[in-house]
């Protein structure tokens, strides 16, 4: 048995059951083209009346879109009423086929699935031959949403009482993907928000830095991150309840006490390393010096807001809230006493490291502290040597042998510390969810500062002012090329060639061996710069063949469209898209009229030269 | 529940429900469903127990009863489709009688009966011409648009364009300008032709990266990227004065917000869309349109209205065509058995197994 139904048989079967017009979705352009070839000698010819109607309709469309006049598929379209429609074709051809379809002249259109989304031509029947789709080099299963977009083309309102989605197998089909797709609920959509360099520049052009976080918070991305954070908060609430029996005992922070002890006992031979040269006393304190902890300093007391490490400081650092709402930074060594008292502290990732409410409350609580506070006993283990077994044994199972709550603590420790770890984990995740966009923004800001598009105060520099107008892929590479004067004196064809290689992101092969020396050397320069920028921006494909092709089109105004197509193995539709994308990129360079008049003028020239023939047909 | 007929009576009853009835219905639902319903309506709803939750939900429902009930209905239906099919005695055996507008695609049939090919093929054809009457959801969307932003999520081919055209017409009659965006240049061109035909060529313009056609027209068509750029220029002071008179922004094919490369552009456009302009998002069926609407509500000045349904206007049937030319229904049922992917027609199953055995001697296909 053949691996899939023969196109002629398919159309015959569809006609026989009155299931035409149909759209047949095939895996590749090639499959569509091959399907067309099978109709060359087929005797499925339409009655003369319909053939005549198609001819008339085509003629009318040709007036508007002359480029379809010579299309090799026209005889088949007219004789048999079938056509191919895919990205390898010119837009004008696709428009023509869509129009013929809308007017009801065709029986079947063979199309690729890439075009299923958003294309406006329904039919009575949709034939599905595949369950996966090529997405950037890999095949992935169709989603439920995609299956329904494809199948949904079937059944035209006002023209059909019923629509049909017909599955016919090919070697790549997984039927369950399709049955699930047809019967299921479409997937939820997820935000794909990314922060690009132009976005950063344009945001900072219009808004002060401190407003940006609020703007990013308006994204759907943040909306969805918040949903996830809320779920975790729900869990956190539940954990809070579970933690209730394990609140403060004789010492408020008995869990940390026990953790330290437990750690010392269990890992006494593989002691965790202390940071730098912190003394054992200091490193033993660190786990207790968390936000909300009350500490004694050489003068007065304070509440820890955060613990951090700083370059050039031997010891860990603390940010501490002092009386009168003063905030100071000091090394942990300046802590004289760690008190057995902590307060809730809602942490935030920016100064003053806790929420405004927390800050106000803590300031108040600091004033209200009783004059005497219990000091927290902290078990110190010497870092260089394991805790002597004798000491561990003398401690028994317990760091504070005389404490009355010892049995209770001993019993609860495992559960309590597990719950607390979970709490900490959730708290961290929530914080990450709430702030990740902002961090990504900051990362971009740093890169833009490094390259001199932003000042340290996050104002746009002179360079940033024009760079923000380049709002396309590879914007950093393009602006850096402009700054490196790579395009100075470049004539329109050279410029168009380079922009083509920047714009074209399709790796479908197409050969064009001859490339001018000027273009070749400039392309080399672009490649080197792209390489050096790769830590900050993914490099473009920079294909020499497409660059050369566009250079030729611009350099030689006598070159016809057919002549251009003969120069390469690329499909017409791909050449058209290449030129259209190049136009889009060039128009961004054209926008730099006031700062880079030479470049803008050359770009504008290139645009005029590109727009001829087929490229003039559409707005 | 598990039997669709119960669900449908329940859901159709929803329209004319007193508060008492609504409360009763809510009380019958599992807590998880109530929580899902409360999302975006009741602050910190997860803290509330079932009784309190119902109380809060009822309070909230007063402000937008219709939206509330339709969400409840959707949730109940969604729940029904997750439960396994039970043999349903309440349905008559499947008949070939074709209903012009079957209520919900197809109901799962009992296990013993399967549709025949001739029954499956019956009823195809061209409907007699009908005068144009807007669908209820179309009118609902248009009237909601007088007051708020609107998100529409309906299946392909339902008639979203009608809403776009009417909304644009009303805005233009009000002397306000309209921007319509689509994700693809090709689609923009089609709409340019279509809208020029409807409104007259002088009323419609198109903007592309490097060209403007009739750029001063009150209805402008562009790709979403171009609009995003316009909004950035407006935000930084290079004001396009016309944004002041902008009354309506229509984003067609909004499900593109999930596109890995370009989705971000839809978010930027929505975030920076001027507040005096109404937003109309047109989308194919997606799983979480309520999230999109809730999001818009949270960032825009009005409460965004969601208009959704999942019923296809023209019912769809699925078939299986074997390479030897043999055609059979794909499912046991006449229509598509929504929620029941395993109800394969025995003939389709047999033929497909045969196909797999013949074409793939070494197991699963490579993909
Ligand atoms: N109320 C109605 N009654 C009858 N026909 C209608 C109605 N509304 C729209 N139509 C017709 O339905 C067809 C499909 O409409 P339209 O192209 O707007 O669908 P859509 O929802 O935009 O689909 P897509 O997902 O393909 O973009 C059109 O031919 C239109 O004239
Ligand atoms: Mg549409």
């Amino acid at each position: 048995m053949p691996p899939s139904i023969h196109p002629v048989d398919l159309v015959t079967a569809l006609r026989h059951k009155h299931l035409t017009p149909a759209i047949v979705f095939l895996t590749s352009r090639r499959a569509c083209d091959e399907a067309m070839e099978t109709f060359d000698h087929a005797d499925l010819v339409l009655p003369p009346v319909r053939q005549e109607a198609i001819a008339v309709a085509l003629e009318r469309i040709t007036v508007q879109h002359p480029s379809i006049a010579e299309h090799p598929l026209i005889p088949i379209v007219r004789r048999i009423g079938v056509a191919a429609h895919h990205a390898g074709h010119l837009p004008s051809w696709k428009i023509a086929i869509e129009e013929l379809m809308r007017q009801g002249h065709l029986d079947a259109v063979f199309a690729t699935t890439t075009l299923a989304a958003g294309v406006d031509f329904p039919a009575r029947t949709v034939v599905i031959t595949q369950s996966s789709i090529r997405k950037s080099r890999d095949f992935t299963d169709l989603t439920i949403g995609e299956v329904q977009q494809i199948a949904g083309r079937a059944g035209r309102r006002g023209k059909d009482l019923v629509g049909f989605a017909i599955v016919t197998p090919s070697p790549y089909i997984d039927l369950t993907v399709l049955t699930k797709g047809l019967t299921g609920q479409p997937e939820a959509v997820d935000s794909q928000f990314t922060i690009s360099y132009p976005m950063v520049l344009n945001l900072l052009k219009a808004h002060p830095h401190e407003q940006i976080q609020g703007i990013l918070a308006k994204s759907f991305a943040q909306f969805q991150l918040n949903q996830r954070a809320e779920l975790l908060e729900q869990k956190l609430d539940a954990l809070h309840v579970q933690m209730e029996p394990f609140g403060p005992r004789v010492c408020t922070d008995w869990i940390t006490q026990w953790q330290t002890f437990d750690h010392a006992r269990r890992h006494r031979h593989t002691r965790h390393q202390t940071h730098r040269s912190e003394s054992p006393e200091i490193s033993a304190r660190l786990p207790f010096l968390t936000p909300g902890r009350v500490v004694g300093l050489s003068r007065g007391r304070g509440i820890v807001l955060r613990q951090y490490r700083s370059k050039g400081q031997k010891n860990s650092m603390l940010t501490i809230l002092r009386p009168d709402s003063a905030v100071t930074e000091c090394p942990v060594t300046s802590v004289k006493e760690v008190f057995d008292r902590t307060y809730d502290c809602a942490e935030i990732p920016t100064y003053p490291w806790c929420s405004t409410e927390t800050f106000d409350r803590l300031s108040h609580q600091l004033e209200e502290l009783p004059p005497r506070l219990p000091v927290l006993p902290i078990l110190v283990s010497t870092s260089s040597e394991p805790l002597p077994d004798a000491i561990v044994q003398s401690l028994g199972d317990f760091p504070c042998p005389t404490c009355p709550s010892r049995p209770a603590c001993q019993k609860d420790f495992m559960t309590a510390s597990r719950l607390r770890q979970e709490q900490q984990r959730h708290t961290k995740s929530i914080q990450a969810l709430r702030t990740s966009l902002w961090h990504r923004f900051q990362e971009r800001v740093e890169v833009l500062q490094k390259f001199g598009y932003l000042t340290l105060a996050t104002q746009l520099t002179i360079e940033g002012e024009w760079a923000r107008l380049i709002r396309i892929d590879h914007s950093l590479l393009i602006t850096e090329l402009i700054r490196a004067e790579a395009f100075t004196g470049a004539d329109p064809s050279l410029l168009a060639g380079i922009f083509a290689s920047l714009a074209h992101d399709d790796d479908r092969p197409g050969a064009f061996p001859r490339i001018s020396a000027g273009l070749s050397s400039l392309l080399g320069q672009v490649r080197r710069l792209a390489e050096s920028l790769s830590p900050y921006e993914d490099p473009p494909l920079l294909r020499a063949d497409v660059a050369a092709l566009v250079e030729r089109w611009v350099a030689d105004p006598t070159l016809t469209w057919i002549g251009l197509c003969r120069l390469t193995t690329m499909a017409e539709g791909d050449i058209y898209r290449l030129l259209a994308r190049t136009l889009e990129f060039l128009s961004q360079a054209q926008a730099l009229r006031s700062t880079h008049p030479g470049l803008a003028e050359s770009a504008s020239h290139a645009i005029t030269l590109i727009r001829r023939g087929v490229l003039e047909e559409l707005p | 529940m598990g039997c669709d007929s119960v669900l449908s009576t329940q859901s159709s009853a929803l329209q004319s429900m007193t508060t008492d009835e609504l409360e009763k219905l809510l009380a019958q639902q599992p807590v998880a469903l109530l929580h899902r319903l409360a999302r975006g309506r009741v602050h910190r709803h997860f803290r509330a127990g079932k009784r309190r939750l119902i109380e809060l939900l009822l309070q909230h429902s007063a402000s937008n009863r219709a939206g509330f009930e339709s969400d409840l209905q959707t949730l109940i239906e969604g729940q029904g489709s997750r439960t396994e099919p039970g043999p349903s005695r309440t349905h008559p055996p499947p008949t070939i009688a074709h209903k012009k507008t079957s209520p919900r695609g197809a109901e799962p049939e009992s296990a013993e009966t399967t549709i025949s090919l001739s029954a499956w093929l019956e009823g195809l054809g061209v409907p007699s011409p009908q005068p144009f009457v807007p669908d209820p959801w179309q009118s609902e969307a248009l009237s909601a648009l007088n007051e708020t932003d609107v998100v529409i999520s309906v299946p392909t081919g339902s008639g979203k364009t009608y809403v776009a055209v009417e909304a644009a017409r009303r805005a233009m009659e009000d002397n306000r300008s309209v921007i319509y965006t689509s994700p693809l240049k090709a689609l923009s061109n089609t709409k340019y032709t279509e809208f020029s035909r409807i409104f007259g060529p002088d009323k419609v313009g198109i903007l592309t990266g490097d060209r403007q056609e009739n750029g001063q027209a009150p209805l402008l068509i562009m790709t979403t990227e171009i609009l995003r750029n316009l909004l950035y220029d407006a935000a930084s002071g290079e004001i396009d004065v016309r944004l002041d008179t902008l009354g309506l922004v229509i984003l067609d094919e909004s499900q593109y917000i999930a596109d890995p490369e370009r989705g971000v552009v839809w978010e930027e456009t929505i975030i920076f869309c001027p507040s005096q302009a109404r937003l109309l998002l047109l989308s194919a069926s997606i799983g979480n349109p309520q999230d999109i609407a809730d999001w818009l509500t949270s960032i825009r000045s009005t409460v965004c209205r969601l208009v959704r349904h999942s019923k296809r206007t023209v019912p769809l049937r699925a078939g299986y065509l074997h390479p030897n030319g043999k055609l059979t229904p794909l499912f046991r049922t006449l229509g598509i058995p929504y929620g029941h992917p395993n109800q394969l027609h025995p003939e389709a199953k047999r033929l497909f197994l045969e196909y797999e055995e013949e074409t793939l001697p070494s197991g699963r296909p490579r993909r």
Side-chain angles (χ1 to χ4, degrees):
Chain A
M1 199 201 317
S4 49
I5 191 164
H6 192 278
V8 173
D9 294 345
L10 174 61
V11 171
T12 311
L14 292 173
R15 277 189 188 166
H16 181 244
K17 305 280 191 219
H18 307 288
L19 291 171
T20 54
I23 306 171
V24 183
F25 284 110
L26 298 178
T27 357
S28 63
R29 304 169 178 192
R30 176 103 158 269
C32 296
D33 295 339
E34 284 171 1
M36 285 301 106
E37 281 164 25
T38 64
F39 289 102
D40 272 343
H41 306 287
D43 49 3
L44 292 171
V45 286
L46 293 172
V49 201
R50 283 192 58 193
Q51 293 198 29
E52 192 48 41
I54 295 177
V56 171
L58 268 174
E59 242 159 67
R60 215 173 308 122
I61 302 169
T62 313
V63 176
Q64 244 187 322
H65 302 289
S67 58
I68 64 163
E70 307 284 307
H71 202 284
L73 284 180
I74 285 183
I76 289 182
V77 174
R78 286 177 52 168
R79 212 161 51 90
I80 306 184
V82 299
H85 177 291
H86 58 66
H89 293 130
L90 285 177
S92 49
W93 175 256
K94 292 190 279 184
I95 288 172
I97 297 307
E98 287 166 28
E99 191 54 36
L100 289 179
M101 201 61 175
R102 238 173 263 132
Q103 295 175 13
H105 292 303
L106 301 183
D107 279 350
V109 170
F110 292 76
T112 52
T113 335
T114 20
L115 278 175
V119 168
D120 202 18
F121 67 102
R124 171 171 293 170
T125 301
V126 159
V127 178
I128 305 174
T129 62
Q130 68 196 97
S131 58
S132 51
I133 187 175
R134 196 181 116 121
K135 274 181 196 156
S136 59
R137 269 168 250 190
D138 270 338
F139 277 90
T140 54
D141 281 346
L142 292 168
T143 64
I144 296 175
E146 283 163 346
V147 172
Q148 294 190 358
Q149 278 264 355
I150 295 169
R153 304 261 139 236
R156 298 156 298 173
R157 222 182 154 172
K159 289 193 190 151
D160 293 308
L161 288 166
V162 193
F164 293 87
I166 293 180
V167 177
T168 185
S170 71
Y172 304 107
I173 207 160
D174 181 344
L175 198 58
T176 51
V177 170
L178 295 176
T179 52
K180 277 195 190 132
L182 286 168
T183 58
Q185 287 270 355
E187 292 82 1
V189 299
D190 280 325
S191 168
Q192 304 290 329
F193 198 76
T194 48
I195 293 175
S196 61
Y197 296 117
M199 185 198 287
V200 173
L201 290 174
N202 282 292
L203 282 176
L204 286 170
K205 166 73 183 174
H207 310 273
H209 186 249
E210 59 269 20
Q211 279 177 19
I212 307 288
Q213 201 171 1
I215 294 171
L216 295 175
K218 287 175 149 191
S219 62
F220 186 48
Q222 190 60 57
F223 179 86
Q224 292 196 308
L225 291 171
N226 288 346
Q227 285 184 332
R228 281 164 58 195
E230 264 167 45
L231 278 182
L232 284 180
E233 273 163 7
Q234 235 164 302
K235 284 191 187 153
L236 207 55
D237 285 348
L239 280 172
H240 234 92
V241 176
Q242 283 175 283
M243 278 295 278
E244 255 157 36
F246 310 123
R249 295 189 172 166
V250 171
C251 42
T252 5
D253 205 1
W254 63 277
I255 303 172
T256 308
Q257 282 283 16
W258 272 78
Q259 243 167 9
T260 319
F261 174 68
D262 197 51
H263 199 86
R265 205 179 38 163
R266 278 202 252 165
H267 303 272
R268 54 181 190 252
H269 296 298
T270 53
R271 192 149 304 284
H272 63 122
Q273 71 217 44
T274 47
H275 290 293
R276 295 164 213 189
S277 46
E278 266 160 5
S279 70
E281 289 77 12
I282 295 299
S283 48
R285 276 178 174 186
L286 289 179
F288 295 94
L289 296 173
T290 48
R293 165 76 62 188
V294 182
V295 293
L297 303 158
S298 48
R299 274 180 182 200
R301 298 187 288 207
I303 297 176
V304 177
L305 294 179
R306 80 168 165 155
Q307 187 188 116
Y308 63 101
R309 300 207 135 255
S310 165
K311 277 201 196 103
Q313 287 289 338
K314 181 163 141 288
N315 286 296
S316 296
M317 298 290 293
L318 297 175
T319 304
I320 290 182
L321 172 67
R322 305 291 309 258
D324 295 324
S325 303
V327 176
T328 58
E329 316 284 327
C330 61
V332 279
T333 43
S334 51
V335 171
K336 301 291 170 231
E337 284 152 319
V338 180
F339 293 116
D340 189 11
R341 173 74 57 111
T342 57
Y343 292 112
D344 280 345
C345 180
E347 292 168 66
I348 60 162
T350 49
Y351 182 86
W353 319 108
C354 66
S355 67
T356 335
E357 302 90 75
T358 303
F359 192 84
D360 295 341
R361 179 171 45 75
L362 289 180
S363 306
H364 182 69
Q365 279 162 335
L366 187 57
E367 313 290 334
E368 301 286 298
L369 278 176
R372 287 177 63 94
L373 279 175
V375 171
L376 188 74
I378 292 174
L379 176 75
V380 178
S381 54
T382 38
S383 58
S384 49
E385 282 164 39
L387 212 55
D389 281 355
I391 295 184
V392 174
Q393 259 139 41
S394 76
L395 288 168
D397 299 324
F398 199 63
C400 8
T402 55
C403 179
S405 86
R406 170 192 151 172
C409 292
Q410 184 168 11
K411 179 166 141 291
D412 294 341
F413 161 64
M414 289 304 271
T415 320
S417 84
R418 183 181 51 78
L419 289 175
R420 202 172 69 167
Q421 262 166 22
E422 237 168 282
Q423 263 183 335
Q424 283 161 350
R425 221 181 44 239
H426 288 333
T427 312
K428 278 221 180 78
S429 314
I430 291 169
Q431 206 178 77
L433 290 169
R434 300 260 187 226
T435 57
S436 59
L437 279 188
W438 176 240
H439 285 305
R440 268 151 57 194
F441 181 84
Q442 294 286 44
E443 278 166 22
R444 294 290 186 192
V445 165
E446 276 162 31
V447 174
L448 289 167
Q449 284 171 332
K450 178 180 149 77
F451 283 93
Y453 294 101
L454 287 175
T455 65
L456 287 178
T458 64
Q459 306 268 328
L460 272 65
T461 61
I462 298 169
E463 311 281 355
E465 284 289 342
W466 59 263
R468 91 192 150 81
L469 298 173
I470 306 292
R471 295 162 181 154
I472 33 181
D473 294 345
H474 315 298
S475 59
L476 186 62
L477 174 59
I478 293 172
T479 56
E480 284 300 290
L481 282 167
I482 293 173
R483 290 172 82 190
E485 312 228 318
F487 302 130
T488 309
D491 65 32
S493 58
L494 199 57
L495 190 67
I498 293 296
F499 273 63
S501 75
L502 290 164
H504 195 69
D505 53 8
D506 190 344
D507 60 352
R508 235 172 255 272
F512 182 81
R514 277 161 302 148
I515 172 162
S516 75
L519 184 58
S520 170
S521 92
L522 188 48
L523 206 52
Q525 188 187 348
V526 177
R527 252 193 218 111
R528 281 190 299 279
L529 189 57
E531 186 72 19
S532 75
L533 291 177
S534 60
Y536 313 105
E537 186 176 79
D538 287 341
L541 287 177
L542 294 175
R543 278 172 51 170
D545 61 330
V546 299
L549 198 64
V550 174
E551 185 192 30
R552 266 299 281 284
W553 178 247
V554 176
D556 179 4
T558 62
L559 185 61
T560 61
W561 181 254
I562 311 238
L564 181 72
C565 293
R566 284 214 192 97
L567 289 175
T568 167
T569 53
M570 282 167 78
E572 270 194 309
D574 290 326
I575 305 174
Y576 180 93
R577 238 186 332 281
L578 165 67
L579 289 169
R581 287 258 303 165
T582 307
L583 280 173
E584 218 176 284
F585 273 48
L586 284 168
S587 71
Q588 305 259 315
Q590 197 186 5
L592 303 182
R593 241 165 274 118
S594 54
T595 50
H596 301 78
L599 172 65
E601 193 184 332
S602 185
S604 153
H605 244 101
I607 288 174
T608 327
L609 289 167
I610 289 181
R611 278 201 159 280
R612 63 177 204 268
V614 171
L615 280 123
E616 276 246 282
E617 276 181 28
L618 296 170
Chain B
M1 59 185 46
C3 170
D4 274 16
S5 63
V6 172
L7 287 174
S8 45
T9 27
Q10 225 174 36
S11 39
S12 52
L14 273 174
Q15 309 311 327
S16 52
M17 206 178 254
T18 66
T19 308
D20 281 357
E21 282 166 346
L22 183 59
E23 182 174 356
K24 212 185 250 162
L25 182 59
L26 285 172
Q28 284 167 8
Q29 304 310 321
V31 190
L33 185 144
L34 298 180
H35 276 297
R36 247 179 296 150
L37 189 61
R39 232 169 64 191
R41 293 197 157 89
V42 179
H43 187 58
R44 287 175 94 68
H45 56 86
F46 43 82
R47 284 169 174 270
K50 183 165 180 177
R51 184 172 284 179
R52 175 78 184 131
L53 198 53
I54 292 175
E55 228 171 77
L56 291 168
L57 281 170
L58 282 173
Q59 263 171 33
H60 177 88
S61 73
S63 63
N64 177 4
R65 187 65 174 261
F68 182 82
E69 290 184 1
S70 96
D71 284 352
L72 176 58
Q73 179 174 352
T74 317
L75 280 172
I76 294 177
E77 275 170 14
Q79 203 190 25
S81 69
R82 262 197 297 277
T83 58
E84 279 308 299
S88 107
R89 305 263 171 252
T90 49
H91 286 297
T95 57
I96 47 173
H98 169 70
K99 284 177 260 164
K100 270 193 182 154
T101 45
S102 77
R104 213 189 168 256
E107 331 246 282
E109 315 285 347
S110 54
E112 313 87 58
T113 51
T114 52
I115 194 88
S116 69
L117 178 65
S118 56
W120 182 82
L121 280 169
E122 195 129 330
L124 65 74
V126 183
S128 52
Q130 305 276 332
F132 185 93
V133 181
D135 291 344
W137 68 267
Q138 289 172 324
S139 315
E140 185 192 341
L142 282 168
S143 70
L145 209 51
N146 289 330
E147 272 117 55
T148 65
D149 297 337
V150 173
V151 171
I152 295 179
S153 170
V154 294
T156 319
S158 297
K160 295 184 281 282
T161 313
Y162 168 78
V163 181
V165 166
E166 282 312 304
R169 188 196 308 282
R170 291 179 192 186
M172 289 193 292
E173 277 166 8
D174 254 13
N175 276 327
R176 281 170 307 145
S177 60
V178 180
I179 291 178
Y180 168 97
T181 81
S182 86
L184 305 168
K185 240 182 182 172
L187 267 180
S188 298
N189 283 320
T190 316
K191 291 295 174 201
Y192 181 46
T193 318
E194 189 180 342
F195 291 173
S196 300
R197 213 177 290 150
I198 297 172
F199 296 111
D202 55 321
K203 289 279 193 299
V204 190
I206 186 166
L207 257 58
T208 66
D210 54 314
R211 239 194 198 185
Q212 289 195 3
E213 208 103 326
N214 208 3
Q216 295 307 310
L219 169 55
L220 286 182
I221 296 166
M222 57 189 85
T223 58
T224 316
E225 272 83 357
I226 302 285
L227 175 56
R228 188 268 318 263
N229 290 349
L230 272 183
L231 293 175
Y232 270 135
D233 289 340
S236 61
E238 290 119 288
I239 293 196
D240 181 352
V241 251
R242 302 190 47 250
L243 285 185
D244 299 340
T245 59
L246 187 61
L248 175 67
V249 173
I250 304 168
L251 305 181
D252 203 355
E253 311 287 344
S254 303
Q255 72 276 6
Y256 257 77
I257 198 169
D259 185 89
E261 269 115 51
R262 298 172 57 202
V264 58
V265 179
W266 272 255
E267 294 197 37
E268 289 172 278
T269 305
I270 291 168
I271 295 171
F272 295 113
C273 179
S275 56
Q276 92 278 355
R278 292 259 173 279
L279 258 177
L280 172 59
L281 268 60
L282 307 178
S283 159
S285 287
I286 53 168
N288 54 345
Q290 185 68 55
D291 282 350
I292 306 269
D294 287 349
W295 168 50
L296 283 185
T297 299
S298 72
I299 64 167
R300 307 260 311 159
S301 53
T302 60
V303 176
C304 173
R305 177 72 163 275
L306 171 65
V307 174
R308 76 184 293 195
H309 70 85
S310 46
K311 191 182 84 191
R312 283 181 46 92
T313 335
V314 180
L316 193 62
R317 299 179 192 171
Y320 174 84
L321 180 63
H322 206 54
N324 67 9
K326 190 169 182 341
L327 181 67
T328 130
L330 180 62
F331 297 108
R332 281 211 192 93
T333 51
L334 177 64
I336 291 187
Y338 292 103
H340 306 278
N342 297 328
Q343 298 217 337
L344 275 192
H345 196 282
E347 185 65 1
K349 202 181 211 166
R350 189 183 66 75
L351 288 171
F352 186 71
L353 278 178
E354 196 177 280
Y355 175 83
E356 279 206 313
E357 263 159 36
E358 279 183 37
T359 51
L360 308 159
S362 52
R364 305 290 306 151
R366 283 175 302 116
R367 265 186 280 116

